[in-house]
Amino acid sequence: MTNTQETSLPIIAITSGEPAGIGPDIILSALSEQSFDARLIVLADPNLLKERAQTLGLSPTIQILSHSTDAKPHQQGVISVLPIYMGTETVAGTLNVKNSPYVLETLKQAGAGCLEQAFDAIVTPPVHKGILCDTGVHFSGHTEFFQAQCRSPHVVMMLATEAMKVALVTTHMPLKDVADAITEQNIRLVVRALYKDLQEKFGIERPKILVCGLNPHAGEDGHLGKEEIHVITPTLNALRAEGMNLIGPLPADTLFTRKYLDNADCALAMYHDQGLPVLKYSGFGNAVNITLGLPIIRTSVDHGTAIDLAGTGKANNGSLKVAIQHAINMANNAKKFST
């Protein structure tokens, strides 16, 4: 590979996640098992990776970098690290609040690196929200962290597998509050962000989006709820007038069938448990969580820290591999779109 080819490869930052969880395990195993067509940089304490590799019986080559531009194309078994050091030692499976500042620093540097264009995308293994909040810092999730860091007014949560993509109008809220959150403004913000990123980061020239209704049977002409008539349909019609290819509102129990999914690029669900159970049933462990609406690219795994599996060698790295590959694809598409 020539120097020009090497420097054209995207630089993907991978944070290390909760050090007592399976984040280090899945990074070590995934990057040891296969190569990726990108320059991968792990933001982590190299001593953590070396100790966890020894525990897992792995022997990768750990390369310490001084700058992102020093990264070479990823090779199987070689892990390039931009070092960020922990304040105290970590024991696999044992949470330690003293390491929370380290976790937050990895996220901060990853986000700043993307904003400064030192990185082309971020991939995040899982963190433990509780232990981070125990420091006195309110941490509700990666999405909100990067939204605040990027000063983005509105973000969209999407999960994707090879078979489907599902985005959400509302995310983590009680079901009793969902109907009030299905407003013209929220739908407009979500659909516009979703449509834009499907074009720019997924390379889909004219995305076709299936939109769920809120109520059973999409309201049954107002007999099972009127949100479709008064809010969802008029908003979709206005967005269609802007040139967007939107189908719906459709009943969720029929939208998530091959008849519709095989002929669309993404589904938009009104609330968390309307769309994600279907996606996770079809591909849990090999799905990726993607934050849209940011000026940067961020993907993540579809699972938690699995503290009980840390250091056992039993953690599944499938979702991390998919998250890395999606980040690479999205970074390449974004570069093409901008040229």
Side-chain angles (χ1 to χ4, degrees), residues 150 152-156 193-194 197 201 291-296:
C150 296
S152 298
H154 196 84
V155 294
V156 178
L194 174 60
D197 277 1
K201 297 175 182 176
T291 305
L292 305 179
L294 296 172
I296 64 176

Side-chain angles (χ1 to χ4, degrees), residues 22-38:
I22 63 170
D25 303 41
I26 58 178
I27 290 171
L28 289 161
S29 62
L31 302 194
S32 294
E33 289 174 3
Q34 73 177 71
S35 60
F36 292 88
D37 199 15

Side-chain angles (χ1 to χ4, degrees), residues 46-47 50 62-67 70 79-83 85:
N47 297 316
K50 290 174 183 177
I62 306 291
Q63 293 184 336
I64 308 299
L65 306 179
S66 58
H67 193 273
D70 297 333
I79 300 177
S80 299
V81 180
L82 270 179
Y85 292 97

Side-chain angles (χ1 to χ4, degrees), residues 108-146:
K108 179 181 177 182
Q109 290 196 29
C114 266
L115 290 171
E116 295 164 4
Q117 298 184 342
F119 308 132
D120 296 300
I122 304 168
V123 178
T124 57
V127 297
H128 193 286
K129 296 178 186 177
I131 202 73
L132 293 177
C133 290
D134 285 344
T135 65
V137 175
H138 176 67
F139 185 88
S140 56
H142 283 105
T143 301
E144 294 79 8
F145 181 92
F146 290 123

Side-chain angles (χ1 to χ4, degrees), residues 168-171 173 175 177-188 190 211-215 226-228 230-233 235 268-272 274:
L168 305 175
V169 175
T170 64
T171 54
M173 64 170 54
L175 191 58
D177 297 332
V178 168
D180 289 339
I182 304 302
T183 64
E184 177 184 351
Q185 180 182 19
N186 281 344
I187 294 172
R188 282 179 180 269
V190 169
V211 182
C212 291
L214 173 65
N215 298 294
K226 299 186 184 299
E227 286 83 2
E228 287 79 9
H230 296 315
V231 179
I232 300 174
T233 297
T235 306
L268 179 63
M270 291 294 125
Y271 57 95
H272 187 282
Q274 183 183 55

Side-chain angles (χ1 to χ4, degrees), residues 256-312:
F256 289 104
T257 59
R258 295 266 65 92
K259 171 185 175 182
Y260 289 102
L261 293 175
D262 287 349
N263 297 291
D265 298 300
C266 183
L268 179 63
M270 291 294 125
Y271 57 95
H272 187 282
D273 282 15
Q274 183 183 55
L276 296 194
V278 182
L279 181 136
K280 291 192 175 186
Y281 176 77
S282 72
F284 186 74
N286 289 288
V288 55
N289 188 333
I290 303 169
T291 305
L292 305 179
L294 296 172
I296 64 176
I297 294 168
R298 178 256 169 169
T299 69
S300 184
V301 296
D302 67 349
H303 56 74
T305 53
I307 299 295
D308 58 321
L309 295 181
T312 66

